[in-house]
């Protein structure tokens, strides 16, 4: 197949309640830095990072919210052209887990991807470094059940603080997005093939 539609830029949307660690995860992934201080992100739209995936140089354009997630009003530009979506909750904050359905629905409504059933999502349970012992709010089992209920979304437990599983999670979503893009290319080829027949019938 011709590679005219081959693209190496992937738009990654990071969503979840305020305070779960979205900005910290991005900062750890892109700059290898972590800050204890809580700072609402100001202004910045996205950061980029280049990764090599199976000999292909891919630029991840990772979109962060500027604190507007509190009002759940991120605007169309934020979602437009998203290739994948990373949902984040805090394993010690039940509310942030309960909010995942809303974020998932919100994404599908706003981004309205052509193939919502197979759109690449990933879930991150962050702040795994905080040892809450048996008081941990959400068990790994519960999180995985949610993932299964949404069509087998991959799940990673992460720590932006300790840089645990951060690279793996971003790499996973990038790979999923590339595979999804490939599947859509195939649909497109089939679509182009059948359209003349449809036209003449
Ligand atoms: P956001 O609102 O989702 O962007 O969350 P932030 O990235 O601003 O993080 C909120 C707070 O949680 C900050 O004080 C961070 O330092 C802290 N934080 C973020 N990730 C972690 C983590 O993995 N472990 C711990 N212990 N704290 C974290
Ligand atoms: Mg933030």
């Amino acid at each position: 197949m011709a590679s005219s539609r081959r693209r190496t830029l992937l738009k990654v949307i990071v969503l979840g309640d305020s305070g779960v660690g979205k900005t910290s995860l991005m900062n750890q992934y892109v700059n290898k830095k972590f800050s204890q201080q809580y700072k609402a992100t100001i202004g910045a739209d996205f950061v980029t990072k280049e990764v090599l995936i199976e000999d292909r140089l891919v630029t991840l354009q990772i979109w962060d919210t500027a604190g507007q997630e509190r009002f759940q009003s991120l605007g169309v530009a934020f979602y437009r052209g998203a290739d994948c979506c990373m949902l984040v909750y805090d394993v010690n904050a039940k509310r942030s887990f309960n909010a995942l359905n809303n974020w998932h629905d919100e994404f599908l409504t706003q981004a309205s991807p052509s193939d919502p059933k197979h759109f690449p999502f990933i879930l991150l349970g962050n702040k795994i470094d905080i040892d809450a012992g048996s008081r941990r709010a959400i068990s790994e089992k519960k999180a995985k059940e949610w993932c299964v209920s949404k069509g087998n979304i991959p799940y990673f437990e992460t720590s932006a603080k300790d840089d645990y599983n951060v690279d793996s999670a971003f790499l996973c979503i990038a790979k999923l997005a590339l595979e999804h893009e490939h599947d859509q290319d195939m649909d497109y080829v089939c679509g182009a093939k059948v359209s003349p027949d449809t036209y003449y019938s």
Side-chain angles (χ1 to χ4, degrees), residues 17-19 21-24 38-41 64-67 69-70:
D17 274 6
S18 178
K22 300 180 299 297
T23 303
S24 302
Y38 181 80
K39 258 191 272 165
T41 323
D64 192 11
T65 57
E69 71 270 32
R70 257 163 282 180

Side-chain angles (χ1 to χ4, degrees), residues 34-152:
F34 176 76
S35 160
Q36 290 280 1
Q37 267 175 327
Y38 181 80
K39 258 191 272 165
T41 323
I42 308 158
D45 288 323
F46 60 79
V47 291
T48 58
K49 168 132 175 157
E50 297 208 314
V51 278
L52 201 58
I53 299 174
E54 283 150 22
D55 289 335
R56 183 168 174 184
L57 193 61
V58 177
T59 303
L60 299 184
Q61 192 185 69
I62 310 165
W63 286 63
D64 192 11
T65 57
Q68 319 95 309
E69 71 270 32
R70 257 163 282 180
F71 316 106
Q72 210 147 17
S73 60
L74 295 161
V76 275
F78 184 76
Y79 294 100
R80 189 182 296 131
D83 293 295
C84 51
C85 177
M86 177 178 267
L87 297 167
V88 186
Y89 80 100
D90 171 350
V91 295
N92 302 299
K94 197 170 182 198
R95 243 179 92 156
S96 69
F97 179 77
N98 291 338
L100 289 173
N101 277 329
N102 280 340
W103 286 118
H104 187 262
D105 290 354
E106 175 80 359
F107 178 85
L108 292 177
T109 307
Q110 299 291 336
S112 56
S114 55
D115 186 9
K117 262 197 177 151
H118 302 107
F119 190 84
F121 282 98
I122 188 174
L123 177 66
L124 271 57
N126 191 40
K127 305 200 189 182
I128 198 76
D129 59 281
I130 298 175
D131 185 15
S134 55
R135 288 175 298 128
R136 184 178 142 165
I138 302 296
S139 67
E140 187 173 355
K141 184 168 172 273
K142 198 164 177 201
K144 283 183 173 166
E145 279 166 9
W146 186 84
C147 288
V148 169
S149 80
K150 297 292 172 191
N152 277 328

